[in-house]
Amino acid sequence: PTQQERFSFQAEVVQLLDLMIHSLYSNKEIFLRELISNASDAIDRLRFAQLTEPGLDEDEEELRIHVAFDKDARTITITDNGIGMSRQEVMDNIGTIAKSGTREFFQALTGDQRKDATLIGQFGVGFYSSFIVADRVTLTTRRAGLSAEEGVRWESDGRGEYALETVERPRRGTELVLHLREGEDDLLNHHRLLTIIQKYSDHISLPIVMPQDGGDEAGEDTVVNRGSALWARPKSEIGDADYNEFYKHVAHDFADPLAHLHSKMEGTYEYTLLLFIPATAPFDLWMPEARHGVKLHVQRVFIMDDTGQLMPNYLRFVRGVIDSADLPLNVSREILQSSRVVDNIRSSAVKKVLRLLKDLAEKEPEKYARFWREFGDVLKEGVAEDFSNRDEIAKLLRFTTTKSATDEPDTSLSDYVARMKEGQDKIYYLIAPTPAAAKSSPHLEIFRKKGIEVLLLGQAIDNWLVTSLPDFEGKRLQSVAQGVSDLGAMEDEAEKEAGEKAGTELSGLIERVKKALGDKVADVRTTNRLTTSPACIVADEPDLELNLMRRMQGSGM
Ligand code: ADP
Ligand code: MG
């Protein structure tokens, strides 16, 4: 053993710990779920590493998670024989937050305990939750493949510093000892721990074992969870609570999911999908390095996290498991990229997810509205990204329109088409930087007067959306700010005549305006599309939209 060294936590860790202890106390038992979840991840990663790195299967011991307590020492101990950590890994993973979205998370904190508790949940509770019940945590670990002398011991009271030393550790994997806070003795009870494990961790596909008599180490170990992969069980045996807890484990989320789909496919290829739509967007949703959330398994063995092969970018919020019976266990990223099996799984998984969203929209519109608020702008990317499913995605889009009661996007393109005026053959939209700007735009005047609905688009992605979606169910999408406002059959004769008459009467004025503006404009003409404003600027038909031009120039006006 070497000398102990002391290190300071990253400032954010201290803040997070403080917050966590206070806001999550009422739900303190989740610490065990988080620690078992980490142990399970560590064993998953070991199994995968064993497929590719030689020399990692150092013993024949069964892979398992062990939970015990000691009444006299007032400790709970969680041990796994998973991948373990090297000294550097301990420093990188424990004591630092290296997650994307960290800055956003801290900015979003409000000081309101209840709101912040939800935020912490979204951000991920993880290892630090041990400090909810413990005032000292000792972690001893050794990375698989390193020698027994390269064990590491980490210890902290969670108040700003941790100590690190190199220790002898004959077994690979991680042992975590929680020294309980004063008043937490209720946890030193076999039945209590058993109940917590069965409530939160029954779905873990590895055996979780406890000494028969809890603290009595002499007693024989018994398996206390079902220990089979949840997705491989018959649906009839799985309850909502099982699905919810499993979701929290795979998604590293704290809240229940919004919806899930579970289906076993048996055709050319055999595979199982267990996929979830989260209720809230993760912090890194818009970051380039955002994690994809689907885990690939082969015959129940975890293989790897998706990096885009299983779910397209526009469905990057989907979480869950895909388990294939056809891929080889030692499948590599390279193989995945060019695998017919994967192509097949991916395209059917995408269809299933879109189908799930469609059902949600039809049967549970409130949930769908929630989904749309959280993920709508991501789904819009699909219109451009996934040509083969474009029509299905288009049906899932929701917009605010001139007929919406609030700023909530509540109108689908099908709703719009169903409400179209007689003689109307286009879907009209207006792109504006804000809803307020949209509502006061002079371009809308004639549409208001005639009672024609206009979609109000205000997100950065919407320019891209309308370029990628030229029509919907045979109706062209048409900007109200573009070209001659051709209302076609909806324009009556009287209006046409009045328009022509104005053109003749005002020809002198028009000439003067043209002269004054010179080549700053392509044309000056009269219009009958305005009712109260004297004039407005329109973009030429083939030109880029004015708004798009403004955005591209970055003037933002
Ligand atoms: P998350 O599980 O969401 O990554 P945690 O705070 O729970 O976040 O854990 C942080 C990291 O610490 C993990 O990603 C993992 O690298 C490491 N870790 C935690 N527990 C273990 C363990 N039992 N064995 C190996 N590594 C672990
Ligand atoms: Mg974790």
Side-chain angles (χ1 to χ4, degrees):
T2 56
Q3 219 186 328
Q4 230 186 30
E5 279 185 82
R6 301 195 72 81
F7 298 89
S8 294
F9 282 131
Q10 194 190 4
E12 283 86 353
V13 175
V14 182
Q15 206 184 334
L16 181 68
L17 276 170
D18 200 47
L19 212 68
M20 189 174 283
I21 294 163
H22 292 105
S23 7
L24 298 185
Y25 187 75
S26 57
N27 206 356
K28 64 176 181 181
E29 58 196 36
I30 54 118
F31 81 91
L32 196 52
R33 168 186 85 193
E34 294 298 323
L35 300 177
I36 288 177
S37 170
N38 284 352
S40 160
D41 286 347
I43 293 175
D44 278 349
R45 282 192 287 145
L46 173 80
R47 276 205 288 211
F48 180 61
Q50 281 176 336
L51 300 171
T52 49
E53 286 175 52
L56 288 188
D57 27 4
E58 41 192 280
D59 56 40
E60 296 302 315
E61 201 186 27
E62 189 200 9
L63 295 168
R64 48 131 199 72
I65 301 161
H66 191 268
V67 178
F69 66 92
D70 182 330
K71 238 182 158 106
D72 300 327
R74 301 188 63 255
T75 56
I76 295 177
T77 302
I78 297 129
T79 315
D80 67 68
N81 48 5
I83 189 103
M85 283 179 274
S86 66
R87 183 185 169 93
Q88 191 57 47
E89 285 169 330
V90 171
M91 293 186 71
D92 292 345
N93 298 327
I94 314 276
T96 355
I97 311 178
K99 251 188 223 183
S100 55
T102 303
R103 199 167 47 88
E104 288 71 11
F105 166 69
F106 282 99
Q107 278 169 353
L109 291 173
T110 59
D112 173 335
Q113 230 169 66
R114 219 168 30 91
K115 279 192 198 139
D116 288 350
T118 318
L119 283 175
I120 298 176
Q122 269 167 265
F123 185 66
V125 202
F127 173 80
Y128 301 118
S129 64
S130 34
F131 287 101
I132 302 175
V133 297
D135 54 14
R136 188 154 57 92
V137 175
T138 313
L139 174 145
T140 313
T141 185
R142 175 168 65 78
R143 170 77 160 87
L146 295 182
S147 68
E149 297 80 65
E150 293 175 271
V152 190
R153 176 162 299 144
W154 177 101
E155 187 168 81
S156 176
D157 62 4
R159 275 193 265 164
E161 283 193 336
Y162 64 88
L164 210 57
E165 64 186 308
T166 302
V167 296
E168 168 101 13
R169 182 165 167 84
R171 302 162 141 215
R172 69 151 191 263
T174 305
E175 176 192 271
L176 202 60
V177 182
L178 310 186
H179 306 265
L180 295 186
R181 288 177 191 279
E182 214 54 65
E184 301 296 345
D185 296 56
D186 61 307
L187 292 167
L188 300 169
N189 173 300
H190 185 76
H191 183 256
R192 180 79 205 281
L193 292 179
L194 189 71
T195 315
I196 300 177
I197 293 173
Q198 285 173 345
K199 177 168 171 197
Y200 294 109
S201 308
D202 200 38
H203 61 79
I204 294 283
S205 56
L206 297 150
I208 302 173
V209 297
M210 286 179 81
Q212 199 124 53
D213 200 12
D216 180 8
E217 287 292 344
E220 209 167 289
D221 289 351
T222 43
V223 177
V224 299
N225 67 332
R226 256 198 279 194
S228 64
L230 182 84
W231 62 89
R233 291 185 211 156
K235 274 200 210 181
S236 57
E237 286 177 18
I238 311 175
D240 279 346
D242 297 319
Y243 282 122
N244 290 351
E245 287 311 324
F246 179 73
Y247 163 77
K248 290 175 193 171
H249 167 63
V250 283
H252 299 252
D253 198 351
F254 192 64
D256 291 341
L258 194 66
H260 75 264
L261 75 88
H262 183 188
S263 79
K264 190 167 162 58
M265 316 294 285
E266 279 159 334
T268 324
Y269 300 113
E270 193 182 314
Y271 55 92
T272 303
L273 307 172
L274 176 51
L275 302 175
F276 298 87
I277 311 287
T280 325
F283 276 90
D284 62 359
L285 188 63
W286 293 100
M287 292 175 199
E289 71 277 27
R291 287 205 241 191
H292 280 249
V294 173
K295 291 177 188 290
L296 177 68
H297 286 64
V298 172
Q299 296 167 43
R300 288 177 282 296
V301 176
F302 168 74
I303 300 296
M304 63 182 90
D305 287 305
D306 181 27
T307 48
Q309 293 90 356
L310 298 173
M311 276 290 141
N313 233 338
Y314 74 94
L315 295 178
R316 60 182 176 273
F317 52 82
V318 174
R319 300 286 183 257
V321 166
I322 295 181
D323 190 344
S324 160
D326 303 295
L327 289 167
L329 270 168
N330 59 354
V331 66
S332 65
R333 255 177 234 296
E334 292 65 39
I335 294 177
L336 281 187
Q337 261 149 17
S338 55
S339 154
R340 296 242 310 272
V341 185
V342 173
D343 286 349
N344 185 289
I345 294 178
R346 174 186 164 113
S347 83
S348 94
V350 167
K351 288 202 159 51
K352 290 251 170 207
V353 171
L354 295 177
R355 181 62 206 240
L356 171 70
L357 293 174
K358 181 173 177 249
D359 287 347
L360 204 60
E362 283 167 8
K363 293 175 195 143
E364 296 179 273
E366 265 166 38
K367 274 196 184 171
Y368 191 75
R370 169 138 199 213
F371 161 78
W372 186 257
R373 270 199 301 279
E374 296 292 325
F375 302 110
D377 285 339
V378 182
L379 192 68
K380 283 176 185 171
E381 293 173 11
V383 173
E385 205 181 300
D386 187 354
F387 190 78
S388 62
N389 290 304
R390 203 185 70 186
D391 296 341
E392 289 313 307
I393 301 169
K395 286 181 197 148
L396 294 169
L397 302 174
R398 293 294 180 272
F399 299 95
T400 312
T401 83
T402 44
K403 295 202 171 150
S404 301
T406 64
D407 285 343
E408 283 288 303
D410 58 355
T411 304
S412 69
L413 290 173
S414 312
D415 296 337
Y416 181 100
V417 169
R419 294 202 287 252
M420 275 170 50
K421 289 262 156 191
E422 211 176 296
Q424 183 182 349
D425 59 353
K426 294 196 182 86
I427 297 173
Y428 293 101
Y429 66 84
L430 171 72
I431 295 194
T434 64
K439 278 180 189 153
S440 58
S441 166
H443 293 299
L444 290 179
E445 289 172 10
I446 185 71
F447 293 90
R448 282 229 175 79
K449 185 176 154 203
K450 293 192 168 288
I452 301 171
E453 186 167 15
V454 177
L455 307 177
L456 302 175
L457 310 183
Q459 299 301 323
I461 178 101
D462 290 334
N463 283 305
W464 200 28
L465 177 74
V466 293
T467 332
S468 318
L469 190 69
D471 50 56
F472 177 78
E473 289 176 359
K475 314 278 188 294
R476 206 162 96 83
L477 268 76
Q478 164 80 51
S479 163
V480 300
Q482 202 178 44
V484 197
S485 170
D486 173 19
L487 294 179
M490 289 176 300
E491 213 163 12
D492 55 43
E493 279 310 307
E495 279 171 337
K496 266 189 202 144
E497 266 168 40
E500 277 158 27
K501 202 165 134 226
T504 343
E505 277 173 7
L506 297 175
S507 60
L509 175 66
I510 286 177
E511 281 316 308
R512 281 175 59 194
V513 176
K514 271 188 187 163
K515 213 181 246 164
L517 294 175
D519 52 14
K520 289 198 187 95
V521 295
D523 193 16
V524 179
R525 59 181 177 243
T526 57
T527 179
N528 55 10
R529 62 156 73 180
L530 297 176
T531 57
T532 54
S533 302
C536 70
I537 301 173
V538 292
D540 233 0
E541 191 88 51
D543 272 7
L544 279 176
E545 282 260 355
L546 265 186
N547 238 294
L548 183 54
M549 274 161 47
R550 282 192 194 129
R551 278 173 195 276
M552 290 172 82
Q553 288 162 356
S555 73
M557 48 171 299

